[in-house]
Amino acid sequence: MREIAVFSGSAHPDLAAEICRELGEPLLPARLRRFANDCLEVQLQSNCRERDVFLIQPLSPPVQEHLVELLLMLDAARGAAARVTAVIPYYAYARSDKKDMPRVSIGGRLVADLLITAGASRVLTMTLHSPQVHGFFSVPVDNLHALRELAGYFRGHDAPGSVVVSPDLGYAKPAAAFARRLGLPVAAGAKRRINDEQVTISSIIGDVDGREVIVLDDEIARGTTIVELLAHLREHGVPSVRIACTHGLFSDGALEKIAAEPEVTEIVCTNTVPVQGRLHHDKLTVLSVAPALAEAIRRIHEGESVSALFEPH
């Protein structure tokens, strides 16, 4: 069996180091250099000749910097490696999945093409914003989810009368899978997005009156959807709300804004993107997906099934 080689970009070295500890493999060094004209150069500083290479780099802010860095890493590895897998815990361009206005690019497809052209022979990611993004890639894609980690956490908190609420109908299927893991009913908001900063929720489909709620979403960026949903839950007499998501970006003060809502008792996310500076917020809990990603990497390396582990139940 070919040896494994794991490298990390600059986006989330802490997650990469944790994955390597789970794998029992060293995190190999890579050097990032910025020239005077602002161009980047990446050097993989360990031999990867005929090795099974994994490059770990979520597309977290600044997204464009981290994307170009990943492209350069892929290009550097493909000349020597037997196989190169891009491990992208957060694929930011998954939100650009359709042409909803004239003369706009479908960024999710374009970035997929860039990654493959740069040298990715496989992609490992987590909780794509839209399932159809999987089809943008012409190489194998393993799209994991964090439902097991999130459900395992909430299972330890007794909440027999709770209901799981998806902020929109598009995420109702994963919310239903999450609710089944907890043995809880599910509801969903009827959401319409006006622009990147404004959404409206016309109603909540399902019974939430007077019940404790667990809100499940794939990603929280500005938090406008969550704040709008909380207003509707308040109208239904919901006494407390716990919020769960895979990708906790919390841009533009979103964490503080959501935590300030009186009904919100806890916010739970995973570490697919860095959470430095927020770890000590009294309402925030961060779960690690490093064991899941490490197990997927091990299975890919050894030629075992990945979907058998991570399909929603």
Side-chain angles (χ1 to χ4, degrees), residues 204 226-236 261 263:
I204 295 176
I226 297 297
V227 171
E228 176 74 6
L229 178 64
L230 289 171
H232 283 267
L233 293 174
R234 196 174 297 124
E235 294 174 0
H236 287 268
E261 297 288 334
E263 298 85 2

Side-chain angles (χ1 to χ4, degrees), residues 46-64:
S46 186
N47 177 38
C48 55
R49 176 73 60 185
E50 295 303 317
R51 298 178 77 178
D52 195 7
V53 173
F54 293 84
L55 305 176
I56 302 173
Q57 179 88 323
L59 298 185
S60 55
V63 174
Q64 279 56 247

